[in-house]
Amino acid sequence: MTTAQQQSTAAVVDAFFERFGSGDLPGLLDLFADRVDFRVAGSPRVPWTGARSTRPEISAFFQVFPEVLTAPQGFTLTTRVVDGPHAVVMAESAFGVLATGKTFTNAYALHFSVEDGQIVRYHMYEDSYAIAEAFTADSGE
């Protein structure tokens, strides 16, 4: 593991959050390799879960958020650990679900792998149960 490699990984991860936060989807997609091990495990009721590997699939992933969620009601990046080509980021965010009016707070971890200045792995670990509950409309009482 080289210092240059760690710096490159850290720079790509920082650019990811900067571009995601500013809504720069083309710039965000430029950070991803042509083929990516991209996985968000969780409930099928959560519209962004599943596996992807191509830029068009990854683009669709990021485009779904403004279609189904309010603007973030909070975002805090709590930890970033970089080890060679790997970075793990822990964060917490809060959103509202447009269809149900419910809100959720999501503490999650992202595992990135970076090779040649591009993201080749993106694995998200989140509380999909709490998110799925926010996507579930209450039954009439």
Side-chain angles (χ1 to χ4, degrees), residues 1-26:
M1 141 177 68
T2 66
T3 300
Q5 185 177 40
Q6 292 213 166
Q7 290 172 343
S8 172
T9 299
V12 169
V13 170
D14 289 346
F16 171 87
F17 283 102
E18 186 177 297
R19 294 174 189 184
F20 179 75
S22 69
D24 178 8
L25 183 60

Side-chain angles (χ1 to χ4, degrees), residues 29-88:
L29 293 174
D30 285 344
L31 296 174
F32 286 89
D34 291 334
R35 299 290 294 176
V36 179
D37 176 10
F38 191 107
R39 201 173 25 186
V40 180
S43 170
R45 289 188 293 178
V46 176
W48 56 82
T49 60
R52 295 157 182 84
S53 61
T54 66
R55 282 193 188 172
E57 291 170 336
I58 293 166
S59 177
F61 169 84
F62 287 109
Q63 289 175 10
V64 78
F65 294 111
E67 294 172 1
V68 299
L69 299 177
T70 65
Q73 298 169 0
F75 174 80
T76 306
L77 193 141
T78 57
T79 305
R80 183 186 76 171
V81 178
V82 178
D83 185 12
H86 301 283
V88 174

Side-chain angles (χ1 to χ4, degrees), residues 41-132:
S43 170
R45 289 188 293 178
V46 176
W48 56 82
T49 60
R52 295 157 182 84
S53 61
T54 66
R55 282 193 188 172
E57 291 170 336
I58 293 166
S59 177
F61 169 84
F62 287 109
Q63 289 175 10
V64 78
F65 294 111
E67 294 172 1
V68 299
L69 299 177
T70 65
Q73 298 169 0
F75 174 80
T76 306
L77 193 141
T78 57
T79 305
R80 183 186 76 171
V81 178
V82 178
D83 185 12
H86 301 283
V88 174
V89 174
M90 299 181 74
E92 187 172 288
S93 59
F95 289 93
V97 176
L98 295 173
T100 65
K102 294 180 179 180
T103 61
F104 64 89
T105 299
N106 184 26
Y108 60 92
L110 286 169
H111 175 197
F112 296 90
S113 295
V114 176
E115 292 177 5
D116 299 322
Q118 292 193 300
I119 299 167
V120 296
R121 174 187 291 183
Y122 177 100
H123 287 193
M124 184 175 213
Y125 306 94
E126 62 186 352
D127 183 357
S128 72
Y129 178 80
I131 299 168

